[in-house]
Amino acid sequence: LHYTIPLIVGTLVTVAGIFYVAKHRQNGNSATKTKRTKPLEEVHIPKFTFEDLQEDSEQRKQFLEWMDIEGFSIFTLNEEIQVQVDLYWELTRKFFAKPMEYKSQFKGKPKYKDDIFEGKRQVNKGFLTIKEKEFLKLCLEDPQQTIPDDIEGFEETFRALCLSLEEITKYLYTLVASTVDPSSKKVVHDKAAMDVVLDCVRLGSSVSMIDYAPIASKNEITQVPSRDAPTEKTHFPSATHCDTGFLTLIMCSTVPALQIKDRVTGSW
């Protein structure tokens, strides 16, 4: 499982809630699913809260039906978690504002010690720099990572936020995994499988804060073959991609290209 929160430094970001994408198990009965025919922009997209899903069976049913068809959903944060997110953003801004010499000491160490993942990026935690953006990717339990200890309140705020997101992550996984597959009449994951996954949530999850460098014009853009072609109006400092893992939690913001691909029209 994986959750990530992007950060845009120097940009006013209005956070409306959490947008989450889950990879849905292919169970062979897609032909019988209700298929949307209208463009997504013409459809009412339901919004949920964590509390509503816990307390209202009708909300849970609507959530699972929507997820089964669309693969994403929109959540609104409660005030407590919103305060944690806002505070962590402020502390991370202080980190990205520091000199490169300071930030470089938090670069992650290689995760793999063999050649199984040859050609893959070996360092996937800590401080990373990739073209026009910088990452600070941390998790609750990783003996190889170093968390900044000279920014007051950083570690405490990070841990509190992780615990809140972990609670949501475990609940959403359990909700989806305990549904019954219409074709086999069995639950997606039995209790033994769910216990294994739930035990791995903390080790397999991370929080990513991202600082996108401002780009004044198309002429300043570094051309990278794997990325979408930039235009005069848009530039996406990442290639179109799908995240690995069970789900991704992304803060809604004004960042271009954090978009949903419409399964009917093919547009974003």
Side-chain angles (χ1 to χ4, degrees):
L1 289 86
H2 170 79
Y3 42 75
T4 176
I5 301 179
L7 170 67
I8 306 82
V9 173
T11 302
L12 180 62
V13 179
T14 303
V15 181
I18 288 183
F19 159 76
Y20 122 67
V21 182
K23 288 163 48 169
H24 184 72
R25 167 180 149 127
Q26 296 297 316
N27 54 30
N29 67 329
S30 59
T32 63
K33 291 181 182 178
T34 301
K35 294 186 178 180
R36 173 169 50 84
T37 57
K38 294 182 179 179
L40 191 57
E41 60 185 15
E42 297 180 11
V43 176
H44 170 69
I45 300 176
K47 297 181 181 180
F48 303 94
T49 68
F50 182 42
E51 292 75 18
D52 284 346
L53 290 183
Q54 290 177 306
E55 299 169 3
D56 189 333
S57 60
E58 284 300 316
Q59 287 284 298
R60 290 195 293 273
K61 179 181 178 182
Q62 184 183 11
F63 165 77
L64 290 169
E65 289 175 348
W66 176 265
M67 281 295 302
D68 190 47
I69 297 171
E70 300 295 348
F72 77 92
S73 190
I74 297 178
F75 287 86
T76 300
L77 294 171
N78 64 38
E79 185 176 354
E80 180 181 355
I81 301 179
Q82 184 66 68
V83 169
Q84 293 173 347
V85 169
D86 292 342
L87 180 56
Y88 189 51
W89 267 355
E90 290 302 320
L91 294 172
T92 311
R93 285 189 178 96
K94 292 181 180 180
F95 174 86
F96 285 124
K98 290 183 177 291
M100 185 60 69
E101 182 180 1
Y102 169 88
K103 292 181 286 189
S104 295
Q105 67 182 307
F106 298 99
K107 285 186 176 179
K109 299 178 176 62
K111 183 178 181 180
Y112 309 110
K113 297 181 179 180
D114 51 44
D115 297 326
I116 295 176
F117 294 90
E118 185 178 359
K120 299 291 184 180
R121 189 172 67 212
Q122 296 293 292
V123 178
N124 70 339
K125 294 281 184 2
F127 174 69
L128 306 171
T129 55
I130 305 174
K131 299 300 179 182
E132 302 99 345
K133 57 185 177 181
E134 298 178 347
F135 291 79
L136 182 61
K137 185 176 183 180
L138 302 171
C139 65
L140 265 177
E141 293 185 8
D142 185 347
Q144 294 195 94
Q145 76 180 3
T146 304
I147 297 177
D149 59 4
D150 56 345
I151 300 177
E152 185 177 357
F154 190 99
E155 184 170 358
E156 295 86 346
T157 303
F158 169 73
R159 292 190 178 280
L161 177 60
C162 281
L163 290 173
S164 295
L165 295 179
E166 183 177 271
E167 181 183 5
I168 296 174
T169 299
K170 286 184 174 181
Y171 178 81
L172 292 177
Y173 163 71
T174 303
L175 183 61
V176 173
S178 60
T179 57
V180 176
D181 183 329
S183 58
S184 66
K185 307 301 181 184
K186 297 179 180 180
V187 292
V188 175
H189 280 175
D190 60 22
K191 184 179 184 303
M194 283 196 280
D195 287 344
V196 170
V197 174
L198 291 171
D199 285 343
C200 296
V201 168
R202 183 163 296 185
L203 291 176
S205 300
S206 61
V207 173
S208 298
M209 307 300 280
I210 308 174
D211 175 17
Y212 292 97
I215 300 173
S217 69
K218 181 180 176 182
N219 295 332
E220 296 181 19
I221 297 172
T222 303
Q223 297 290 327
V224 180
S226 64
R227 294 185 188 168
D228 301 313
T231 69
E232 292 294 344
K233 295 183 178 180
T234 62
H235 168 57
F236 307 147
S238 294
T240 300
H241 67 282
C242 293
D243 286 353
T244 58
F246 170 69
L247 68 86
T248 299
L249 299 171
I250 304 177
M251 300 308 302
C252 295
S253 73
T254 57
V255 183
L258 291 180
Q259 300 176 29
I260 304 162
K261 187 174 184 179
D262 191 326
R263 296 183 178 189
V264 171
T265 66
S267 59
W268 291 88

